[in-house]
Amino acid sequence: MTTPRFVGFAGSWSRPSKTRQLVTQAAECAVARFGGSAHVFDIADLGAGFGLGSNPGNAPGLDAHLQEFLSADALIVASPVYKGSYTGLFKHFIDLIDPQALLGKPVLLGATGGGQRHALIIEHQLRPLFGFFEARILATGVYASSAEFTDGRITADDTGARLDRAVAQFADHLDL
């Protein structure tokens, strides 16, 4: 039996960030349920020069986080909604990944936005993106609107239950 390594990536630059909080809560839930460890990072952790880097090795903050991401047993990935899609720097990070690197890796998808009108970003934007990589995308994605947070934490019961349900779906994909 191995202990899983979860890595969470929030495609947000701002802090505090509801997107990072969603990823952090999912990672905490995953570690509580399955044991192991979690590493959570966001765009700001990649460094001010990240947007200028086109290859790993060109941005000082990038390499360690990219290695954590690629070597994880399971991923938790979320983006804030920006103009109906994921953020540009979120996509920039994903563009640095070799197309075979996520093959078969379980991925929990999430997103945050100002209201419910963007809830389908997971189905229309994120699921196809990670389908390209042939990742094992969990059936349940988690979208949280601003109204579902209190003091920076998800407090809406239905969203919390959905998060628990999504994390539980890692069980079928981890070597426990």
Side-chain angles (χ1 to χ4, degrees):
M1 175 150 82
T2 63
T3 58
R5 291 181 42 243
F6 297 94
V7 171
F9 171 53
S12 178
W13 180 268
S14 64
R15 289 199 181 150
S17 162
K18 290 178 180 71
T19 307
R20 183 169 179 138
Q21 191 53 47
L22 169 63
V23 170
T24 298
Q25 284 185 241
E28 290 168 352
C29 183
V31 169
R33 180 179 289 268
F34 300 110
S37 62
H39 174 82
V40 175
F41 67 101
D42 60 23
I43 297 292
D45 292 320
L46 301 178
F50 166 66
L52 302 175
S54 59
N55 294 307
N58 291 344
L62 171 63
D63 292 338
H65 294 294
L66 182 59
Q67 184 55 40
E68 287 282 341
F69 189 86
L70 295 174
S71 64
D73 296 309
L75 298 171
I76 301 161
V77 178
S79 176
V81 176
Y82 182 73
K83 295 187 179 180
S85 187
Y86 39 75
T87 66
L89 287 175
F90 171 90
K91 180 62 164 59
H92 182 63
F93 177 79
I94 300 301
D95 284 344
L96 298 175
I97 298 170
D98 181 90
Q100 299 297 310
L102 303 181
L103 182 69
K105 192 175 297 270
V107 180
L108 186 160
L109 299 175
T112 58
Q116 293 301 319
R117 68 182 184 196
H118 296 298
L120 288 175
I121 182 178
I122 293 170
E123 301 307 317
H124 293 268
Q125 303 290 322
L126 294 172
R127 199 170 294 275
L129 177 62
F130 284 88
F132 166 80
F133 289 97
E134 298 182 55
R136 292 183 185 170
I137 306 161
L138 301 185
T140 302
V142 181
Y143 178 83
S145 70
S146 295
E148 296 169 283
F149 289 85
T150 304
D151 296 326
R153 301 267 312 162
I154 294 173
T155 54
D157 291 340
D158 56 339
T159 305
R162 187 170 184 84
L163 183 63
D164 288 340
R165 192 167 55 251
V167 167
Q169 293 169 5
F170 277 128
D172 294 336
H173 307 287
L174 297 173
D175 182 25
L176 300 172

